[in-house]
Amino acid sequence: MSRSLNALYGWLLLLPAIVLLAAFTHYPALATLWHSFFSTPKGARPARFVGLDNYAVMRDDPVFWQSLWNNLWFALGTIPTSIGIALIMALWVNRNLSGRGFLRMAYFTPTVLPMVAVANIWLFFYTPQYGLIAQVMQLFGSPGPNWLGNRETALPALMLVTVWKEAGFFMIFYLAALQTVSPSLREAAMLEGASRWQYFRRILWPLLMPTTLFVLINALINAFRLVDHVVVMTRGGPDNASTLLLYYIYQVGFSFWDTAYAATLTVVLLVVLALTALVKFRWLDRRTHYQ
């Protein structure tokens, strides 16, 4: 009887979390999948079952493929760069430096700024002729390109803003992990004649793998949910060169009012995130040491 009561208490303690998870995660995902098989209701015309028609439209939609390709490049450009910079910054501010607290604050400051504020700041930086970057380049006799109005530079410009904002956030997790590593490990490695690189590669990096896995998943989610910077800085232009998948979903759902097709695009986004996270967990779990 006591075992049954303990099980009941355990489920009761889990019940609030289960309800919230089901209401705000599982149910919306299943509802989105269900709505993707129907047409968009308009006026007096209710939604009707259309099967896979929305997916057929998506298959032939060039803007969808362009936004998906842009998002993949965006993720490949921002995730490794922001994580690498975050790790370097964490290693730097973890040392005994004068003004270490100020340096940590400076690295972390972009993280606490609102997304829209960051986008407007960098919009001023990128403005042709009058922007900060253009003013600096004019000192060297170069007018500089139209960073956000050029197909070749619009997406990299968004990548730079994202890395600048996220690196300090990821640095905090690496810094917390570094402070849990015993200094005796480094001392023992030095006594054995290990170089700094060998200590990092053989000892420190494996110990940081749980943090790296956590940061990777967060960076992946951030790369596919970015929409604020696109809305403020480029609105997907020029010629969809900076359109990301979530921004395209936003356009379809709230500008074109095609909620069924937006649900179809959302299903694809959820599948991409789930598959990528699954691959990361299976690949990194073998290299992760939790103790």
Side-chain angles (χ1 to χ4, degrees):
M1 186 65 181
S2 60
R3 186 174 298 178
S4 300
L5 285 176
N6 287 335
L8 178 62
Y9 292 152
W11 282 109
L12 288 176
L13 290 172
L14 288 173
L15 184 60
I18 293 174
V19 171
L20 291 175
L21 190 64
F24 295 101
T25 303
H26 297 153
Y27 172 74
L30 293 175
T32 299
L33 178 62
W34 175 257
H35 288 305
S36 69
F37 298 116
F38 289 81
S39 64
T40 299
K42 294 182 179 179
R45 187 183 69 185
R48 59 184 179 86
F49 182 78
V50 295
L52 298 177
D53 287 358
N54 288 324
Y55 292 90
V57 172
M58 181 183 64
R59 179 194 61 196
D60 300 326
D61 184 0
V63 181
F64 161 71
W65 291 107
Q66 178 68 44
S67 63
L68 181 60
W69 182 251
N70 289 343
N71 225 141
L72 292 175
W73 275 113
F74 184 85
L76 289 174
T78 57
I79 294 175
T81 306
S82 58
I83 292 177
I85 294 176
L87 180 57
I88 293 173
M89 291 192 302
L91 290 170
W92 178 253
V93 298
N94 193 47
R95 302 168 60 187
N96 292 323
L97 301 171
S98 57
R100 183 174 59 177
F102 175 79
L103 195 59
R104 291 176 180 177
M105 182 186 67
Y107 286 157
F108 187 71
T109 296
T111 301
V112 300
L113 297 177
M115 299 284 283
V116 175
V118 169
N120 279 285
I121 291 171
W122 280 88
L123 188 63
F124 166 72
F125 289 168
Y126 286 137
T127 301
Q129 299 180 358
Y130 304 104
L132 181 62
I133 297 177
Q135 294 289 334
V136 173
M137 296 187 70
Q138 286 175 7
L139 297 176
F140 299 94
S142 175
N146 184 356
W147 299 99
L148 300 177
N150 191 306
R151 283 187 56 87
E152 286 71 30
T153 58
L155 191 61
L158 288 178
M159 291 181 187
L160 179 60
V161 178
T162 303
V163 171
W164 179 80
K165 180 167 175 56
E166 289 188 346
F169 177 66
F170 297 148
M171 178 205 70
I172 294 299
F173 297 104
Y174 276 121
L175 182 60
L178 287 171
Q179 291 180 348
T180 63
V181 177
S182 175
S184 62
L185 293 176
R186 178 180 176 83
E187 295 171 2
M190 296 299 106
L191 289 175
E192 293 293 333
S195 63
R196 289 185 178 181
W197 169 248
Q198 289 173 329
Y199 166 72
F200 173 79
R201 183 170 178 268
R202 298 293 184 180
I203 300 176
L204 193 57
W205 179 243
L207 293 174
L208 293 176
M209 286 306 294
T211 303
T212 302
L213 178 61
F214 174 79
V215 169
L216 268 174
I217 298 301
N218 277 272
L220 171 68
I221 295 173
N222 291 343
F224 278 89
R225 72 179 179 87
L226 182 73
V227 68
D228 312 68
H229 294 170
V230 181
V231 171
V232 175
M233 299 178 71
T234 65
R235 294 192 176 272
D239 193 21
N240 295 314
S242 61
T243 297
L244 302 181
L245 188 53
L246 187 59
Y247 177 73
Y248 186 47
I249 294 173
Y250 162 79
Q251 274 191 316
V252 171
F254 295 98
S255 295
F256 309 148
W257 293 106
D258 191 350
T259 55
Y261 188 46
T264 307
L265 295 171
T266 305
V267 170
V268 174
L269 176 60
L270 293 175
V271 170
V272 169
L273 287 173
L275 290 177
T276 310
L278 180 63
V279 170
K280 284 185 175 182
F281 272 115
R282 291 181 62 88
W283 177 68
L284 285 176
D285 192 57
R286 300 174 184 175
R287 296 166 174 79
T288 301
H289 305 279
Y290 293 100
Q291 293 181 352

